[in-house]
Amino acid sequence: MCADASCGIGVFLISWRCFKIASVNHEINEEILDKEIRVIGEDGEQLGIMSAEEALKIAEEKDLDLVKISPAAKPPVCKIMDYGKFRFEQSKREKEAKKNQRVMEVKEVRMSPNIDANDFNTKLKSAMKFLADGDRVKVSVRFRGREMAHTQIGEQLLNDFADKCSEIASLDKAPKLEGRNMSMFLSPKSAAAIKKAQKEKKLAEEKAAAEAAKAEEAKE
């Protein structure tokens, strides 16, 4: 047993380091028991195949850790690194990714079967904004009194609404009557799908214009 205070400090530091290492899933340092491993240095250089004991000695000389990064490889691949720093940076990246993740919400747009054109366009703009923000949209038509006798009007209204959103949205659930409400669900398309739809639309417009011009020439 050491008499001076410095020895006690040394033991404390070693104990803290081992506790930190044991709290994660990677095999590190003394946990690596393979007879042969392929070793990568701290700067990414290939150090070759050697025993885990030899590799650990190199890591300890640099005051770093030996970490098994590819256990399924033959032989397993281990890297010399500052494992505490690696875990800290990994944790930061995970937190940043979670912060940037956006949970898709379901927004609702409600209409009546006899909605006028201005109100329809206002509802359409709201839905398209929700879709552009990455949210799913529920579009509903509420029937009152005698309107229940003409549910086909509401269905046509919803289909028209979906058609006008088709460039940026997919119809998840077709119009369905439940009680006095008829609803459908729209989901935002991916950026790639929107780009493809815009390209197809442009090509169709160019084709139609060319055919119209050709028809005009034929008349002359």
Side-chain angles (χ1 to χ4, degrees):
M1 184 174 181
C2 291
D4 62 354
S6 62
C7 180
I9 292 172
V11 172
F12 172 78
L13 290 174
I14 291 169
S15 298
W16 175 84
R17 186 178 180 84
C18 290
F19 175 80
K20 186 171 186 179
I21 286 168
S23 66
V24 292
N25 294 326
H26 291 92
E27 281 186 28
I28 33 193
N29 297 335
E30 292 82 0
E31 294 175 358
I32 302 170
L33 304 175
D34 304 88
K35 289 182 179 179
E36 284 190 335
I37 57 174
R38 186 179 299 278
V39 183
I40 301 173
E42 57 184 305
D43 296 321
E45 70 275 21
Q46 298 286 335
L47 301 184
I49 296 173
M50 63 185 77
S51 68
E53 188 179 352
E54 287 178 279
L56 182 56
K57 187 176 179 182
I58 294 171
E60 287 176 343
E61 286 172 355
K62 295 175 178 289
D63 197 26
L64 295 172
D65 301 299
L66 183 66
V67 184
K68 188 182 287 187
I69 58 173
S70 296
K74 295 187 182 299
V77 180
C78 298
K79 186 173 182 180
I80 292 171
M81 67 171 79
D82 182 337
Y83 193 58
K85 182 180 178 182
F86 167 78
R87 289 293 299 168
F88 174 73
E89 290 177 349
Q90 187 180 53
S91 177
K92 273 181 67 177
R93 286 194 296 270
E94 288 170 358
K95 285 178 182 177
E96 193 65 30
K98 283 183 180 179
K99 191 168 72 173
N100 292 332
Q101 281 178 351
R102 188 180 186 281
V103 177
M104 184 184 285
E105 297 180 17
V106 178
K107 306 283 188 176
E108 185 169 11
V109 173
R110 297 177 183 175
M111 300 185 290
S112 62
N114 57 357
I115 189 171
D116 62 38
N118 286 336
D119 284 344
F120 179 87
N121 288 331
T122 299
K123 300 286 187 181
L124 186 63
K125 285 179 183 177
S126 294
M128 293 183 84
K129 183 181 182 301
F130 295 146
L131 291 163
D133 288 341
D135 291 318
R136 199 165 177 239
V137 178
K138 178 182 180 181
V139 189
S140 302
V141 174
R142 172 76 173 173
F143 300 99
R144 302 178 184 278
R146 295 179 182 179
E147 291 174 349
M148 283 297 294
H150 306 285
T151 56
Q152 74 278 3
I153 296 174
E155 185 175 6
Q156 180 58 49
L157 189 67
L158 290 173
N159 285 329
D160 186 34
F161 197 99
D163 185 57
K164 291 186 183 327
C165 293
S166 62
E167 192 171 298
I168 64 168
S170 300
L171 181 62
D172 271 356
K173 184 180 175 184
K176 183 179 178 182
L177 184 65
E178 294 178 343
R180 289 187 169 271
N181 290 312
M182 183 177 284
S183 304
M184 68 175 181
F185 286 86
L186 301 172
S187 286
K189 288 182 177 179
S190 66
I194 292 173
K195 190 174 180 180
K196 183 181 177 183
Q198 289 172 339
K199 186 177 179 181
E200 289 174 350
K201 183 181 178 182
K202 186 179 178 181
L203 289 172
E205 288 173 350
E206 289 174 350
K207 185 179 178 182
E211 288 176 352
K214 192 175 180 180
E216 284 296 322
E217 287 177 4
K219 287 180 183 177
E220 295 174 359

